[in-house]
Amino acid sequence: MIKHELILFEKEIKEFWTKFKSICGSEHVNQTLGLRESCKESIKALSEKWSKKLKEGDLMIDKIQEYRNEILQQNICIEEKQENLTEINSKIKHEEEQKRDFIDRIQELKEELTRKKEIISTKNKATKERLERLSKSKELFEERLGLEIRRIYDEQLQFIFRCIDHKDPDKPYTFTLSINEQGDYEVTSSSPPLDCIAELQLKVRETNNFAAFIANIRKAFTALSYK
């Protein structure tokens, strides 16, 4: 733009000089010749100056555009990293939630295990107390009912009756008793088998009258011996 204006200005100067030369004599021409040359040099210097500035301006524009492109690429890179960071944060949050759920589940299992241990401990204590009471009654049963009580495997008690068969007083009649997981009496075996054992077992669970239970089983064995 400026360079074009300088060219037009120089052209106008030349046209002016031609007209001036045709009007004025050689004498005036010689006087103004120095002025013309000085003006041309000034115009040339000005033209070179502005031409240089124009080149610098073009370089500056190119540099600015280059900076803009770099900033654009950096912004794109930042957006991509921001998306990656958001995704990573989401994964971390999800993993933390899973971790909290896992910790809560572990705590629940621990509490459940503690409750089960307490229940088992209570049942074991009750079973032990019952077995101890049964053991303390051993001498009484042996003396009055001809009964022998033995502790066998798995904390079970074996009851051996004698003096039932009048033909063979030493013949043993036995049944095995345990305490199940619910804390109830449970007959696990009987020799010889008794058809009424389930009924007697249910009755002792309802009444908790163990002495009557033993007496009723002896009666059942005695009745069986007469068949």
Side-chain angles (χ1 to χ4, degrees):
M1 181 74 180
I2 296 175
K3 186 175 182 180
H4 180 69
E5 290 179 354
L6 290 174
I7 292 172
L8 291 177
F9 179 71
E10 187 176 358
K11 182 179 179 182
E12 290 176 357
I13 291 295
K14 287 181 179 180
E15 290 177 355
F16 171 77
W17 174 250
T18 302
K19 290 180 180 180
F20 181 77
K21 188 176 179 181
S22 62
I23 295 172
C24 301
S26 57
E27 202 174 300
H28 287 57
V29 170
N30 291 332
Q31 290 178 356
T32 57
L33 182 60
L35 180 62
R36 177 177 177 276
E37 291 298 328
S38 176
C39 184
K40 286 179 66 177
E41 289 178 0
S42 297
I43 292 171
K44 183 178 179 181
L46 183 62
S47 177
E48 291 176 353
K49 179 180 179 181
W50 281 105
S51 178
K52 182 178 180 181
K53 288 186 176 293
L54 286 172
K55 289 180 180 179
E56 291 176 352
D58 291 339
L59 291 175
M60 183 64 69
I61 292 172
D62 292 341
K63 198 67 176 178
I64 291 172
Q65 188 61 41
E66 183 178 347
Y67 287 155
R68 285 180 178 177
N69 292 336
E70 289 180 359
I71 292 172
L72 179 61
Q73 292 299 322
Q74 289 178 359
N75 288 337
I76 293 173
C77 183
I78 289 172
E79 289 177 358
E80 291 176 352
K81 290 182 178 180
Q82 185 66 39
E83 291 177 358
N84 292 335
L85 182 60
T86 302
E87 183 178 354
I88 292 172
N89 287 336
S90 177
K91 289 181 179 180
I92 292 174
K93 183 178 179 180
H94 180 65
E95 290 175 356
E96 288 178 348
E97 290 176 353
Q98 287 184 327
K99 182 180 178 181
R100 285 195 296 270
D101 292 340
F102 184 67
I103 292 173
D104 292 342
R105 180 55 181 163
I106 290 176
Q107 184 62 32
E108 290 176 359
L109 291 174
K110 285 182 178 179
E111 293 175 356
E112 183 178 354
L113 181 60
T114 300
R115 288 194 298 270
K116 287 184 177 180
K117 285 183 177 180
E118 291 175 352
I119 293 172
I120 292 173
S121 177
T122 302
K123 288 182 177 180
N124 288 339
K125 184 178 180 180
T127 300
K128 185 177 180 181
E129 290 175 352
R130 286 190 178 186
L131 291 174
E132 287 176 354
R133 287 198 298 270
L134 291 175
S135 296
K136 290 178 180 179
S137 303
K138 178 179 178 181
E139 293 182 1
L140 177 63
F141 287 134
E142 286 180 349
E143 180 181 349
R144 296 186 179 181
L145 301 176
L147 174 64
E148 179 184 354
I149 303 175
R150 297 177 182 173
R151 180 172 294 190
I152 58 176
Y153 59 90
D154 292 338
E155 294 296 327
Q156 296 186 96
L157 292 178
Q158 185 182 52
F159 295 78
I160 306 171
F161 293 95
R162 301 184 191 277
C163 301
I164 289 180
D165 190 344
H166 63 283
K167 295 179 182 180
D168 185 4
D170 291 330
K171 181 180 178 180
Y173 288 75
T174 66
F175 77 93
T176 303
L177 185 71
S178 67
I179 306 297
N180 62 22
E181 292 183 356
Q182 288 72 38
D184 296 325
Y185 293 112
E186 183 173 349
V187 178
T188 57
S189 67
S190 173
S191 178
L194 294 174
D195 295 335
C196 62
I197 198 70
E199 180 183 351
L200 296 177
Q201 177 178 270
L202 179 60
K203 189 172 182 180
V204 73
R205 289 180 180 178
E206 292 175 349
T207 64
N208 203 32
N209 190 339
F210 188 74
F213 172 68
I214 295 297
N216 288 332
I217 288 184
R218 180 179 175 80
K219 290 178 182 179
F221 279 140
T222 301
L224 191 64
S225 69
Y226 285 98
K227 291 183 180 181

